Amino acid sequence: MKQIKSEQEYREQIKQDELTVGVFTTTWCPDCKRLDMFIGEITDEHQDKQWFTIDRDDFPEISEEQSVMGIPSLLIFKNGEKLAHLHSANAKTPEAIREFLGNL
């Protein structure tokens, strides 16, 4: 999964003409560590989507702009528009994330 290192890189990533999944996390978050244990399987199952991860603490302006209050959060973008947002309370199990992606 691509790690976003600049705001410009983020902007280019979300402008893609295909579904792009942004995973907002931080280094200190226990639920993010749990997500790390199974997110690889999910990205393998959804190779039709572009995936990136972004550290909420490194990019607080982007997180605020996208209403990312809790982490981890998964956001779906296409052509620069946010289509869906799986908030942190619902992003803690593989089943919840699979259901979210299945409803796109």
Side-chain angles (χ1 to χ4, degrees):
M1 191 176 335
K2 181 178 187 174
Q3 174 70 43
I4 297 297
K5 305 229 184 277
S6 70
E7 183 174 344
Q8 178 182 352
E9 191 177 25
Y10 161 78
R11 301 276 175 215
E12 290 171 7
Q13 190 69 43
I14 68 168
K15 284 184 193 175
Q16 300 296 317
D17 190 29
E18 56 194 312
L19 289 178
T20 301
V21 182
V23 181
F24 284 70
T25 65
T26 66
T27 56
W28 52 263
C29 159
D31 288 334
C32 299
K33 301 291 185 214
R34 192 172 310 119
L35 176 73
D36 287 344
M37 294 171 22
F38 61 81
I39 195 68
E41 291 174 29
I42 294 173
T43 60
D44 287 347
E45 294 166 10
H46 291 271
Q47 292 183 17
D48 58 324
K49 299 167 184 63
Q50 295 292 314
W51 289 81
F52 70 87
T53 184
I54 184 168
D55 190 309
R56 187 192 73 173
D57 290 346
D58 291 343
F59 298 97
E61 302 85 9
I62 292 172
S63 298
E64 185 175 320
E65 170 189 312
Q66 296 299 338
S67 301
V68 175
M69 302 300 169
I71 48 172
S73 285
L74 278 72
L75 283 68
I76 309 296
F77 299 94
K78 185 174 182 177
N79 297 322
E81 182 182 343
K82 181 168 78 170
L83 304 178
H85 187 155
L86 183 65
H87 296 275
S88 58
N90 302 314
K92 296 182 181 187
T93 66
E95 296 78 20
I97 294 174
R98 285 184 176 104
E99 180 179 340
F100 170 70
L101 294 170
N103 290 331
L104 295 175

